[in-house]
């Protein structure tokens, strides 16, 4: 897919205030600092569409972007920051849960996983929650450039083995790097393919 246009639409913390349109929607979520903003900028070919922040947890809103006038890219807040109060965590969980439960336009969620790390409980819990709630998702391994090919392969194999403990079928997954554009075409073509089937 060629990205012709990409523009910010709206940010909010209330699913009922998300754009009132029937365009298919693709959400991106992951632990803070996983590389989500960088990935969104890499995919859209825009340097500053999503804010790459040094301070994890700065963006706690549901951010809608309109791509090629025919689909929405949704940047969801990162989860799992250490320095957030219990109350804040609860509020955050509430509106993200509401987004997944109520947003009819949501076609697929890309869950970002840092390819350098062993499977993290917080990510595994989130994957399980998505599965239990029947929310379709794919996995995007990030920062692939930071590992040597052998180590990358081994980490992904470890992840797959971990998932196979609880899942009968593995979700689709992508290996990406925002530094060298690895996986860009794969993710965009995946979205394009689904969009064409929806028509
Ligand atoms: P977010 O908090 O998930 O939005 O993560 P950011 O996109 O802000 O990235 C967190 C940090 O990881 C930043 O310092 C980025 O420059 C770095 N980063 C993100 N993606 C990559 C990548 O693919 N390769 C490398 N080497 N660094 C990355």
């Amino acid at each position: 897919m060629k990205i012709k246009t990409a523009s910010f639409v709206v940010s909010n913390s209330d699913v009922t205030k998300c754009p009132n349109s029937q365009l298919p929607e693709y959400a991106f979520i992951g632990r803070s600092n996983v590389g989500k903003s960088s990935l969104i900028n890499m995919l859209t070919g825009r340097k500053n569409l999503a804010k790459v922040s040094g301070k994890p947890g700065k963006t706690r809103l549901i951010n809608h972007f309109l791509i090629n006038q025919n689909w929405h890219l949704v940047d969801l807040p990162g989860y799992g920051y250490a320095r957030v109060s219990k109350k804040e965590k609860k509020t955050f969980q509430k509106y993200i849960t509401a987004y997944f439960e109520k947003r009819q336009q949501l076609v697929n969620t890309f869950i970002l996983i840092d390819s350098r790390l062993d499977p993290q409980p917080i990510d595994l819990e989130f994957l399980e929650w998505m599965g239990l709630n029947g929310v379709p998702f794919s996995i995007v391994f990030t920062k692939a450039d930071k590992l040597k090919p052998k180590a990358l392969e081994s980490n992904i194999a470890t992840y797959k083995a971990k998932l196979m403990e609880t899942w009968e079928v593995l979700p689709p997954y992508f290996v990406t790097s925002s530094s060298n554009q690895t996986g860009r075409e794969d993710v965009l073509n995946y979205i394009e393919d689904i969009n064409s089937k929806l028509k």
Side-chain angles (χ1 to χ4, degrees):
M1 179 194 328
K2 220 178 149 200
I3 303 292
K4 292 178 214 134
T5 55
S7 57
F8 170 74
V9 183
V10 68
S11 290
N12 66 78
S13 60
D14 182 349
V15 62
T16 63
K17 294 190 185 133
C18 287
N20 183 12
S21 99
Q22 287 314 308
L23 294 179
E25 196 156 300
Y26 296 81
F28 291 77
I29 194 167
R31 239 157 31 96
S32 67
N33 221 32
V34 70
K36 181 165 52 73
S37 311
S38 305
L39 181 85
I40 290 172
N41 292 337
M42 184 271 269
L43 291 175
T44 55
R46 304 292 187 274
K47 265 197 185 134
N48 299 310
L49 197 63
K51 300 236 161 31
V52 176
S53 80
K55 282 190 195 139
K58 257 182 87 186
T59 43
R60 301 216 187 117
L61 295 166
I62 302 169
N63 303 295
H64 275 75
F65 299 94
L66 178 62
I67 313 293
N68 290 350
Q69 309 293 333
N70 72 351
W71 58 280
H72 279 127
L73 184 157
V74 181
D75 181 7
L76 293 173
Y79 52 78
Y81 1 87
R83 280 186 230 99
V84 172
S85 71
K86 266 199 181 145
K87 197 176 161 214
E88 263 186 295
K89 263 187 201 154
K90 262 207 163 145
T91 311
F92 162 77
Q93 258 173 8
K94 246 193 190 158
Y95 71 76
I96 292 304
T97 305
Y99 172 81
F100 285 121
E101 286 173 352
K102 301 204 176 116
R103 190 69 177 159
Q104 304 275 347
Q105 295 88 331
L106 180 63
V107 174
N108 186 58
T109 299
F110 292 97
I111 302 177
L112 277 57
I113 304 282
D114 192 326
S115 64
R116 296 170 302 172
L117 308 177
D118 283 334
Q120 302 287 301
I122 190 162
D123 291 324
L124 296 171
E125 276 163 30
F126 184 67
L127 291 168
E128 194 171 330
W129 185 89
M130 294 288 272
L132 288 172
N133 287 278
V135 189
F137 66 86
S138 337
I139 292 179
V140 174
F141 291 104
T142 62
K143 307 190 188 182
D145 62 285
K146 290 209 175 191
L147 289 172
K148 296 224 165 75
K150 274 253 158 66
L152 178 65
E153 206 178 295
S154 152
N155 279 9
I156 288 167
T158 303
Y159 221 99
K160 283 188 194 86
K162 185 77 197 166
L163 292 177
M164 288 307 271
E165 288 175 15
T166 41
W167 296 82
E168 265 171 45
V169 184
L170 284 177
Y173 72 91
F174 304 91
V175 178
T176 68
S177 159
S178 301
S179 300
N180 62 22
Q181 311 240 316
T182 300
R184 182 172 189 267
E185 285 305 306
D186 293 340
V187 174
L188 290 178
N189 289 343
Y190 181 72
I191 294 172
E192 186 173 41
D193 193 43
I194 300 179
N195 280 344
S196 69
K197 284 178 188 142
L198 293 172
K199 279 184 186 144

